[in-house]
Amino acid sequence: MMDYQNFFTSALDRLQAERRYRVFADIERLAGRYPQAIWHSPEGPRPITVWCSNDYLGMGQNRDVTRAMVETAWRLGTGAGGTRNISGNSHPIVELEAELADLHGKEAALVFTSGYVSNQAGISTLARLIPNCLILSDALNHNSMIEGVRQSGCDKAIFRHNDLEHLEELLQAAGDRPKLIVFESVYSMDGDISPIHAICDLAERYGAMTYIDEVHAVGMYGPRGGGIAEREGAMHRIDVIEGTMAKAFGVMGGYLTGTKAVMDAIRSFAPGFIFSTALPPAVAAAAMASIRHLKASSTERQQQQRQAARTKAVLSSAGLPVLDTPTHIVPVMVGDAEACKAACDRLLAKHGIYIQPINYPTVPRGTERLRITPGPFHSNAHIDALAAALVEVWTALKLPLEPKVQAAE
């Protein structure tokens, strides 16, 4: 008799052997006290400080946002009632899509259940609807974009990360066939930024359509939180802008923005949209409240940027191997999967600091790291405590510090 269970246990054993098995901490976020949280450890509940959340601006606890969610749930109920093809558009989703289109200066927007689904469905559907389409994809694009490219069934060419010369070579070689360039604005693991205007220049020169993922930038950059493209004055040059409500906006769901024709085509042909239950009205209302708040307020962005800069400076001066980035993402390099997991375990158990290890396949082997995301509610005292804890962990695990950086300070 076939031992089906053995297939699964063997796969898990391989993960364990490669030190890639993921363990999720049981954490209870506390609205109004972020970044403080409760860790339900094996020994019982313990207070901790969270340093790796994608709720970059703490909007998940903003009172306007939580009030919008609660009040809408009381009025309209908890669920959407099904897919939008069955249940129609809830009015909060109609309002949310108008808000998102306005955020990015586009004619229309389309909301999905997650940023993963919006990329997967958006890229695959766009490319399938363009005859003989060639997709040109940055080598470091997120897995959701890679899956969208794969599921399109179209030809693809991968250009080296942010390498404009390589991208132009591929565009030239493609000739007159239709082309779609897909790339991100902020790359979430290295924290670097794409040269948006230069990519748009090439797209215009060689007749390509452009698709940008702004999930780690929306809410964070630009005068109204429209992302790096807004900050650089490039939104009008990009055909499709994709984003999420699950990071800086503090809620959940993904979206696409573009012309009415493109959004309607995706709405009409994308299985990931057609066959997925819609976001609940309360979630849509909360996301809309968050977007409206961050369109009008730069306070959260400015405070976050100050604390991110201070975190980088304090950790670097302590001799920690901080990867220099121009964004809010602070990678501390480890370079070994087992050591990365051990560092995170020690930070949590000994210091009450929660940071998840970032290992392969999220990053290449040998580039394992801690990915730290300072927020506006991380105080100077939090930052100093983080630096002291990291130095203790690095010392205990015999990980290399950088004395030259420490001495220079």
Side-chain angles (χ1 to χ4, degrees):
M1 184 174 179
M2 189 73 69
D3 183 6
Y4 287 101
Q5 295 304 308
N6 184 57
F7 297 133
F8 308 116
T9 56
S10 295
L12 292 170
D13 288 342
R14 289 194 296 274
L15 275 184
Q16 294 272 14
E18 295 171 11
R19 302 295 190 268
R20 294 196 295 118
Y21 182 76
R22 298 169 190 244
V23 177
F24 299 146
D26 182 353
I27 290 176
E28 189 176 343
R29 285 161 53 100
L30 303 171
R33 292 174 57 189
Y34 182 80
Q36 302 305 120
I38 298 296
W39 171 39
H40 291 272
S41 74
E43 290 76 33
R46 285 185 51 189
I48 59 169
T49 303
V50 176
W51 272 101
C52 60
S53 174
N54 283 344
D55 186 1
Y56 293 134
L57 300 178
M59 292 301 292
Q61 67 176 7
N62 179 278
R63 286 306 177 197
D64 289 341
V65 176
T66 55
R67 186 179 300 110
M69 180 176 282
V70 171
E71 290 178 353
T72 304
W74 276 118
R75 286 190 299 110
L76 304 182
T78 56
T83 67
R84 289 161 76 172
N85 292 282
I86 290 173
S87 62
N89 289 329
S90 72
H91 188 60
I93 279 190
V94 173
E95 292 181 307
L96 173 59
E97 288 179 340
E99 203 71 44
L100 289 164
D102 174 77
L103 176 66
H104 294 291
K106 300 298 184 186
E107 292 179 351
L110 193 64
V111 166
F112 293 77
T113 51
S114 73
Y116 194 102
V117 175
S118 57
N119 266 335
Q120 188 180 52
I123 293 171
S124 62
T125 304
L126 280 174
R128 280 200 309 270
L129 292 175
I130 301 171
N132 194 33
C133 182
L134 171 69
I135 304 175
L136 299 107
S137 178
D138 188 286
L140 293 189
N141 277 343
H142 189 264
N143 178 265
S144 59
M145 303 178 78
I146 294 169
E147 281 300 302
V149 172
R150 185 184 66 79
Q151 291 181 19
S152 73
C154 297
D155 293 340
K156 68 177 185 295
I158 310 301
F159 61 93
R160 291 185 293 271
H161 177 54
N162 279 350
D163 189 329
L164 297 170
E165 290 184 6
H166 191 211
L167 175 57
E168 184 165 19
E169 288 174 12
L170 296 172
L171 286 165
Q172 285 177 332
D176 293 332
R177 69 185 296 185
K179 297 169 283 289
L180 174 65
I181 303 172
V182 296
F183 62 106
E184 300 182 42
S185 61
V186 174
Y187 287 85
S188 62
M189 291 300 120
D190 289 345
D192 59 339
I193 295 173
S194 61
I196 296 176
H197 276 296
I199 291 174
C200 289
D201 289 342
L202 291 175
E204 291 169 8
R205 189 177 309 155
Y206 294 98
M209 190 173 179
T210 49
Y211 178 110
I212 192 170
D213 174 319
E214 286 255 44
V215 297
H216 292 277
V218 290
M220 302 293 292
Y221 302 96
R224 299 199 308 159
I228 297 293
E230 183 193 27
R231 188 186 74 177
E232 302 299 320
M235 289 195 300
H236 65 287
R237 304 188 68 189
I238 298 168
D239 293 297
V240 178
I241 298 176
E242 186 264 354
T244 184
M245 284 88 72
K247 293 180 171 59
F249 294 128
V251 192
M252 71 170 292
Y255 64 87
L256 300 169
T257 63
T259 64
K260 290 180 180 178
V262 169
M263 294 302 103
D264 198 16
I266 295 171
R267 181 191 70 86
S268 300
F269 288 96
F273 177 85
I274 294 169
F275 297 106
S276 290
T277 296
L279 282 184
V283 173
M288 183 172 59
S290 183
I291 293 162
R292 284 179 175 172
H293 178 92
L294 289 174
K295 278 181 177 179
S297 172
S298 294
T299 302
E300 294 81 4
R301 284 188 284 276
Q302 292 169 356
Q303 178 66 6
Q304 190 280 330
Q305 288 164 11
R306 280 195 297 271
Q307 296 309 85
R310 187 177 190 277
T311 301
K312 293 175 186 178
V314 170
L315 298 190
S316 294
S317 66
L320 292 154
V322 177
L323 186 66
D324 187 28
T325 76
T327 63
H328 57 284
I329 294 165
V330 184
V332 180
M333 306 306 291
V334 179
D336 177 83
E338 193 166 0
C340 195
K341 177 67 165 60
C344 292
D345 288 347
R346 187 174 181 89
L347 281 169
L348 186 58
K350 185 175 177 64
H351 300 282
I353 289 175
Y354 175 66
I355 305 173
Q356 274 287 81
I358 305 296
N359 292 334
Y360 178 85
T362 306
V363 295
R365 287 185 174 92
T367 67
E368 292 83 1
R369 67 198 66 184
L370 310 186
R371 179 181 176 274
I372 296 169
T373 54
F377 298 106
H378 285 105
S379 67
N380 291 350
H382 285 138
I383 295 170
D384 294 340
L386 172 66
L390 285 169
V391 169
E392 190 281 331
V393 168
W394 250 243
T395 302
L397 299 180
K398 296 182 172 56
L399 296 172
L401 292 167
E402 299 179 359
K404 289 183 181 179
V405 177
Q406 193 170 12
E409 182 66 16

